[in-house]
Amino acid sequence: MEYFVKIDSSGFMQIVKNLESNGFQEAIADAGRLPQDMLAQICQDVATFLQYKSGPVKAEKYTQLLEAFSASPTKVSITSVVNALTYLLRSAAALKMDGEEFQNQLTSSDIFSKDVVDTLVHSWNEQGRQLMATTSQLQCLNVGQLLDLQWRVGVAISSDDCKNLNSPTITLLLTIAETGGNITKHSVEMTLTQFRNFSRQLKEMAILMETV
């Protein structure tokens, strides 16, 4: 589950209050059940992701680490924790909160345990400045962040101009985090020829990135 509410002058805790009914409270409760050092590592991974230094945080990374605990959260709950922390840190960066303000806002809500607050505040004190700098750059450029890309192959069997085309099509579903805080989804449909050209350009980009 992704959590999104447009960030405005109502402030950080209004965001939290709006999210409590959408599974946010359960995700924070799951965060409190994780070992504190593991939660700190997830915060670190989320912060690195938000600075475009790594790909999206995968819940699978922590599966083996949780096997030693009898009451291990499920993969879905870990994914929810990652989504919730991603949104919290992104929102705090967009609002340009300092460490003290961030801590005060968290402790004013009864859904955050002391251990979770301590871990989040420690992560923010370490990464907040860099996160705010990245967010400011994105706001100036008005560039969104690609969170996820899914694809599927289909067959077009007819159209307005021609029947029984039987030609393959590729549909891409892009999940984008807009600079204003909203998360949107965009779909793109391509013919096989268009997809081959798109794939070739991606390969050229990958080769160029290796030289940087």
Side-chain angles (χ1 to χ4, degrees):
M1 177 183 293
E2 297 281 0
Y3 308 102
F4 57 95
V5 174
K6 187 175 182 179
I7 301 175
D8 53 31
S9 58
S10 59
F12 183 79
M13 284 317 299
Q14 185 60 45
I15 293 171
V16 173
K17 292 177 181 177
N18 289 340
L19 291 173
E20 288 180 8
S21 61
N22 293 328
F24 186 80
Q25 186 171 357
E26 289 80 1
I28 296 302
D30 285 333
R33 298 184 186 102
L34 292 172
Q36 199 164 2
D37 58 345
M38 182 179 295
L39 180 59
Q41 182 60 52
I42 295 176
C43 287
Q44 175 67 37
D45 289 351
V46 168
T48 302
F49 163 65
L50 292 176
Q51 295 174 64
Y52 297 93
K53 295 180 180 178
S54 68
V57 182
K58 300 295 185 181
E60 292 85 351
K61 176 180 178 179
Y62 300 95
T63 300
Q64 292 183 348
L65 297 176
L66 287 171
E67 290 180 351
F69 298 90
S70 59
S72 300
T74 65
K75 176 183 175 182
V76 173
S77 70
I78 299 175
T79 300
S80 297
V81 169
V82 170
N83 289 339
L85 297 182
T86 299
Y87 188 74
L88 279 174
L89 295 180
R90 181 189 290 124
S91 299
L95 292 169
K96 295 180 172 59
M97 304 178 73
D98 59 33
E100 183 179 357
E101 183 181 8
F102 184 61
Q103 181 174 10
N104 290 340
Q105 296 286 13
L106 293 177
T107 55
S108 67
S109 171
D110 58 4
I111 71 172
F112 297 94
S113 68
K114 183 180 183 303
D115 286 345
V116 171
V117 170
D118 290 345
T119 303
L120 286 172
V121 170
H122 178 75
S123 177
W124 184 252
N125 287 335
E126 287 190 338
Q127 301 291 332
R129 187 180 299 274
Q130 294 91 326
L131 286 172
M132 286 188 286
T134 301
T135 300
S136 296
Q137 292 170 1
L138 290 177
Q139 289 174 340
C140 291
L141 297 172
N142 196 26
V143 175
Q145 179 180 5
L146 178 64
L147 297 180
D148 188 35
L149 188 153
Q150 300 179 13
W151 62 275
R152 68 171 183 269
V153 177
V155 177
I157 60 175
S158 65
S159 70
D160 294 336
D161 301 321
C162 180
K163 295 184 180 295
N164 299 321
L165 294 177
N166 291 323
S167 57
T169 61
I170 293 86
T171 300
L172 302 180
L173 179 62
L174 309 176
T175 303
I176 307 294
E178 306 291 353
T179 54
N182 290 331
I183 295 178
T184 59
K185 294 182 183 293
H186 304 275
S187 60
V188 178
E189 186 174 277
M190 294 181 284
T191 64
L192 183 58
T193 300
Q194 290 173 326
F195 179 75
R196 285 173 175 167
N197 182 54
F198 176 67
S199 177
R200 177 181 58 79
Q201 294 182 59
L202 288 179
K203 291 178 181 178
E204 291 174 355
M205 292 167 58
I207 292 174
L208 179 61
M209 289 297 293
E210 290 179 356
T211 65
V212 176

